[in-house]
Amino acid sequence: FSSFDFWGNREDENVPLSDILPPLSDLTADELAAMAQLPFIPLHVWDRRQYFLSLRYGDLRERDKLMKLLKGEFDSHHT
């Protein structure tokens, strides 16, 4: 993950995929649509801090892989 601290300094952190708690798992189609309208989606990483992810802003280079990760469907052996 790349994020910014309070002062605007970039912070990079590598986390195992297994530590990411998928925020979009077990949601209905209506719930997914509602979540997609939010400016930020909370992303919890086990035993670490909470991140906020924006699907609306920025450049998503591998959208399919990101969506699989957020839904808990990502197989880390086939990256």
Side-chain angles (χ1 to χ4, degrees):
F1 291 103
S2 289
S3 60
F4 295 101
D5 66 10
F6 178 79
W7 304 107
N9 298 310
R10 182 179 172 145
E11 296 179 335
D12 295 327
E13 184 176 4
N14 293 321
V15 299
L17 294 177
S18 59
D19 286 358
I20 297 172
L21 305 174
L24 304 181
S25 66
D26 301 323
L27 295 182
T28 66
D30 290 339
E31 291 170 328
L32 279 173
M35 186 74 84
Q37 297 303 313
L38 296 175
F40 299 101
I41 296 173
L43 184 65
H44 300 278
V45 179
W46 182 256
D47 251 1
R48 297 184 188 186
R49 63 191 252 193
Q50 180 184 38
Y51 293 89
F52 291 93
L53 178 67
S54 172
L55 298 179
R56 293 169 139 193
Y57 308 105
D59 182 27
L60 295 177
R61 297 174 190 252
E62 297 186 52
R63 184 178 190 85
D64 293 339
K65 286 183 180 180
L66 176 63
M67 293 310 294
K68 284 184 178 185
L69 177 67
L70 297 177
K71 291 180 180 179
E73 301 169 351
F74 194 80
D75 181 3
S76 62
H77 295 93
H78 297 94
T79 55

